[in-house]
Amino acid sequence: MTVAVVLFTSDLRLHDHPPLRAALKAADEVVPLFVLDTGVHAAGFDAPNRRAFLADCLGDLDSSLRRRGGRLVVRSGPVAREVRAVAAECGAAEVHMAAGVTAYARRREERLREQLGDDGVALRVHEAVITAVAPGAVTPSGGDHFAVFTPYFRRWSQETLRKPLAAPRTVRVPDGVRGEALPDRADVAGTSPGLPAGGETAGRDRYSRWSHSGLSRYEDRHDDLAGDATSRLSPYLHFGALSPVELVHRARAHGGPGAQAFVRQVCWRDFHHQVLAARPEASREDYRTRHDRWRQEGDATDDIAAWRDGRTGYPIIDAAMRQLRHEGWMHNRARLLVAGFLTKTLYVDWRIGARHFLDLLVDGDVVNNQLNWQWVAGTGTDTRPHRVLNPLVQSRRFDPDGAYVRRWVPELRGLDGRSVHEPWRLAAVERAGLDYPDRLIDLADGLARFKHARGRD
Ligand code: FAD
């Protein structure tokens, strides 16, 4: 009997899973393995919302494997040590896994290659599992990555994606491989009350339901804050419970402008992955420095706390920050607004905002989070780095009736029409009845400080 190990990481699914398919082809029996990596814990990336969602994903993967005659083996510890031990226990000749992008994922791969190599076990790394197009597969002439989205999208759209692989019918797992109890979402403390259910089954259901009603209207409605009309697939993509290759195929097969706009958004994900693959330090450092002297925790303690707590006095910002805390998720337009407000109005370091997002976002990942924050802060890939989104103008445009604000800021529910976006304009006597803070800052003052800091006044 030959045995291969499949190490699952950010690819927690059975459909369209090239490492699993290759392992099943190469060996008679396969050990599907997930390691609760103490390295991820030490780096502070296993925030409660993601830990809970991960528990759902692992539970669902285990159930799907059991229906096929197998099971998921879960271990905890340093990932290389555990993979090596499992490979030795089952006498595996090969370990298959998806290629990662972050510096952490690459170090993990190197360590595995080295340590498994010492034992005579081959590491087989598969590209385009976590992204639709592998980072580095599409490059500009003379460069190692695209720094601007539109030309990347043009080239990315011309790539031929592999046909999505079906989920295997059977998975035979050797006896005697020790596993631990699966983590249980109920054991994770401090999660957001509105957190969605994780797992491949939930993700596939969500796509199917949403694609019937939401996909064709996506182009027109994706910025409607109250309409909440986007797919909400980001956590499933983050954990790889859905395959980006399969999603792009399915959306293209659906066709129409809505599907095209959706595929374009999925391409943003690949775009950021290829940037970070080429510039891993961009997870911490400015991708393009503007020589900012950002305000830090000690200089802006109260402003940062008000932003985090959704008490800035700007209803649209506060609504979004409260949605983040309640759901572990936030609408993309709202993310743009709150990130712009923190960096360009309050002139606070983008890393402080990115950290808070990573503490709460169920889809929070270093690639998309840090690079979107940099895009907004103007230190990333935005071709208009000094643009400032005015939260008032934006709220009138994307929440014209104030329904999004009223949903998340109950103190303002009694206000009608547009006054909900500008409570500071109410008569003093009306304002006094609201338990809602005054504006933290005048937008004009924030803008002047930002322009001055960037040398543009
Ligand atoms: P849809 O609009 O339905 O889009 C479909 C998919 O495309 C998403 O699920 C996502 O995987 C991808 N996508 C859409 N927009 C982007 C984008 N700008 N960048 C990368 N991928 C995109 N996304 C994350 O997945 N993780 C993060 O940590 C994250 N942090 C962000 C931080 C900031 C400051 C900003 C402005 C954006 C961030 N995004 C992040 C991108 C985007 O906001 C979310 O992917 C999106 O809101 C998820 O909702 P959805 O699934 O309904 O998206």
Side-chain angles (χ1 to χ4, degrees), residues 140-199:
S141 56
D144 60 357
H145 72 292
F146 277 91
V148 177
F149 176 74
T150 305
Y152 175 75
F153 178 55
R154 220 175 290 128
R155 285 280 305 284
W156 180 93
S157 303
Q158 290 159 6
E159 284 291 288
T160 308
L161 304 186
R162 70 158 186 281
K163 272 177 68 180
L165 303 167
R169 282 167 192 263
T170 46
V171 179
R172 293 181 52 189
V173 179
D175 295 331
V177 182
R178 185 180 57 80
E180 296 166 12
L182 295 176
D184 186 343
R185 175 188 178 123
D187 295 336
V188 184
T191 54
S192 294
L195 201 64

Side-chain angles (χ1 to χ4, degrees), residues 6-27:
V6 178
L7 175 63
F8 286 86
T9 55
S10 303
D11 49 354
L12 304 177
R13 62 178 182 265
L14 293 187
H15 291 82
D16 194 40
H17 199 285
L20 179 60
R21 170 60 67 96
L24 287 167
K25 206 167 161 201

Side-chain angles (χ1 to χ4, degrees), residues 82 107 118-119 168 190 232 236 238 240 298 317 354 369 387 391 433 435:
E82 291 306 314
R107 275 199 306 277
D118 289 346
D119 301 341
R232 287 187 178 243
Y236 303 94
H238 168 72
I317 303 296
N369 190 54
R387 81 169 96 191
D435 176 25

Side-chain angles (χ1 to χ4, degrees), residues 112-316:
L112 276 168
R113 184 167 283 110
E114 227 176 80
Q115 298 192 14
L116 290 170
D118 289 346
D119 301 341
V121 178
L123 180 69
R124 310 248 185 257
V125 175
H126 300 260
E127 296 283 355
V129 179
I130 287 167
T131 51
V133 170
V138 177
T139 49
S141 56
D144 60 357
H145 72 292
F146 277 91
V148 177
F149 176 74
T150 305
Y152 175 75
F153 178 55
R154 220 175 290 128
R155 285 280 305 284
W156 180 93
S157 303
Q158 290 159 6
E159 284 291 288
T160 308
L161 304 186
R162 70 158 186 281
K163 272 177 68 180
L165 303 167
R169 282 167 192 263
T170 46
V171 179
R172 293 181 52 189
V173 179
D175 295 331
V177 182
R178 185 180 57 80
E180 296 166 12
L182 295 176
D184 186 343
R185 175 188 178 123
D187 295 336
V188 184
T191 54
S192 294
L195 201 64
E200 182 178 19
T201 308
R204 295 183 77 80
D205 280 356
R206 175 172 280 280
Y207 178 76
S208 296
R209 268 184 287 115
W210 181 77
S211 66
H212 283 306
S213 55
L215 187 55
S216 46
R217 290 184 294 167
Y218 179 80
E219 193 194 18
D220 301 328
R221 297 195 54 213
H222 70 276
D223 267 330
D224 172 359
L225 281 165
D228 200 2
T230 64
S231 70
R232 287 187 178 243
L233 291 175
S234 51
Y236 303 94
L237 281 161
H238 168 72
F239 284 96
L242 290 177
S243 148
V245 168
E246 188 184 347
L247 274 189
V248 171
H249 273 291
R250 288 177 74 174
R252 281 180 178 157
H254 183 284
Q260 280 168 23
F262 175 74
V263 168
R264 191 172 195 275
Q265 262 351 85
V266 176
C267 177
W268 269 104
R269 206 177 155 266
D270 278 17
F271 172 71
H272 291 313
H273 276 81
Q274 57 95 47
V275 172
L276 200 80
R279 298 284 180 276
E281 68 283 359
S283 66
R284 301 176 311 275
E285 296 165 16
D286 290 350
Y287 176 73
R288 287 210 175 98
T289 183
R290 308 287 171 200
H291 306 287
D292 287 292
R293 297 167 66 95
W294 301 110
R295 294 200 300 153
Q296 301 294 336
E297 291 277 0
D299 322 317
T301 312
D302 293 347
D303 288 0
I304 295 169
W307 178 82
R308 283 188 185 128
D309 294 344
R311 293 194 62 78
T312 65
Y314 284 94
I316 199 81

